[in-house]
Amino acid sequence: MSKKVAIITGSGKGIGKAIAERLATENYYVAVVDIDESSAKYVSDSINAIKENQAKYYVLDVADRKSVFDLVDKVVADFGRLDVFVNNAGIAYIDSIIDSDPEKVERLFDVNLKGTFWGIQAAAKQLKKQGSGGRIINAASLAAVEGSALQGAYSASKFAIRGLGQSAAKELAKYNITVNAYDPGIVITPLRDYIDQRTAQIKNTTAEIQRQSVVNEIALGRAALPDDVSFLVSQQAKYITGQSILIDGGMRFH
């Protein structure tokens, strides 16, 4: 096949949606994957309205390892191969460490960390089998570089994703498979809306004041748009591996 094939989990909205749309414009066949079927179908349909048969949607809970492996098999059956796997799916949980609900913490680790682990496993197995290399990209966060109050579980999962990605990059380089992560700061997405609303609730303020307080820390003076984060999927990033790239407009300098 002349076109390459990409799987993007959590691509029914936000950063994942932007990545799916960018790859479609770069002539990739795109597997739009989300736990929410209506969102996944919407993104797939919007891509196909521009380029017919460019995308197909799939419903997946990334915490289910067998389903992740089955997804890769389905996509390869539908499109013939795999070239890029983006572990974008993730959830947030905002609360103090003392008050954190154990079930919510476990679910967060199941989705964010284990889901990324299963995605790396499934993608690497297929890419190794093909023998033509490929790219795996993981969603980390500014919270993977510096922990924040009320984000203990979320930050821990994202720090772990950085370490997992480094290990995978070292193991998979011999197969010409690169593994990287993007570390977004404040991005205008539904997930960020939840983070601001929940943080504001705990701090007894408004979501607008909470959002502005963090935007004030950004050197470039604005929150990111989802497409600001999608550059790691471009061909220009093909010589980067084992990295976790801050894309935060200058909130933190490390």
Side-chain angles (χ1 to χ4, degrees):
M1 296 178 66
S2 59
K3 292 185 181 178
K4 292 186 176 182
V5 180
I7 295 173
I8 307 98
T9 68
S11 49
K13 58 183 74 70
I15 294 171
K17 176 176 178 289
I19 291 173
E21 291 170 344
R22 178 168 186 155
L23 285 172
T25 65
E26 295 183 2
N27 217 30
Y28 279 77
Y29 286 118
V30 176
V32 180
V33 183
D34 206 280
I35 197 169
D36 178 10
E37 182 174 6
S38 62
S39 296
K41 183 178 185 302
Y42 175 81
V43 175
S44 177
D45 287 348
S46 67
I47 291 172
N48 287 329
I50 299 171
K51 288 189 176 183
E52 190 175 0
N53 299 320
Q54 194 78 12
K56 186 171 182 177
Y57 77 89
Y58 305 80
V59 180
L60 174 72
D61 180 353
V62 297
D64 184 337
R65 182 177 182 272
K66 182 179 184 303
S67 294
V68 176
F69 276 77
D70 288 346
L71 167 72
V72 171
D73 290 341
K74 289 176 186 175
V75 171
V76 172
D78 289 339
F79 292 112
R81 60 180 293 112
L82 175 65
D83 297 279
V84 174
F85 194 106
V86 183
N87 283 300
N88 175 73
I91 59 175
Y93 174 56
I94 306 300
D95 213 337
S96 67
I97 292 172
I98 291 174
D99 295 327
S100 289
D101 183 321
E103 291 185 1
K104 292 181 179 179
V105 171
E106 287 176 8
R107 174 61 179 167
L108 182 144
F109 274 94
D110 284 345
V111 173
N112 292 7
L113 179 54
K114 291 183 182 178
T116 299
F117 201 113
W118 309 147
I120 292 172
Q121 274 193 327
K125 180 179 179 182
Q126 177 62 33
L127 294 171
K128 179 182 175 183
K129 177 182 176 181
Q130 291 173 186
S132 54
R135 281 188 283 168
I136 298 172
I137 303 167
N138 303 320
S141 170
L142 176 60
V145 178
E146 180 177 311
S148 296
L150 306 179
Q151 296 186 22
Y154 181 72
S155 185
S157 72
K158 295 300 185 177
F159 264 86
I161 287 170
R162 287 181 63 206
L164 172 61
Q166 289 177 10
S167 294
K170 290 180 179 180
E171 290 184 23
L172 299 175
K174 62 186 175 183
Y175 306 114
N176 197 29
I177 300 169
T178 64
V179 185
N180 294 291
Y182 46 85
D183 295 339
I186 310 305
V187 187
I188 299 173
T189 65
L191 182 64
R192 185 67 218 184
D193 291 340
Y194 158 74
I195 292 172
D196 287 333
Q197 290 163 7
R198 177 59 180 151
T199 303
Q201 181 184 30
I202 295 172
K203 291 183 175 181
N204 195 28
T205 185
T206 68
E208 291 75 18
I209 291 174
Q210 170 59 29
R211 170 72 63 86
Q212 190 58 49
S213 72
V214 292
V215 170
N216 288 342
E217 298 180 43
I218 302 173
L220 293 181
R222 68 168 178 87
L225 300 174
D227 192 53
D228 290 327
V229 181
S230 66
F231 84 96
L232 267 179
V233 302
S234 70
Q235 283 298 313
Q236 286 70 35
K238 64 185 178 181
Y239 193 63
I240 301 172
T241 195
Q243 304 305 309
S244 183
I245 309 296
L246 268 175
I247 309 171
D248 66 355
M251 286 188 75
R252 300 291 182 272
F253 296 88
H254 289 268

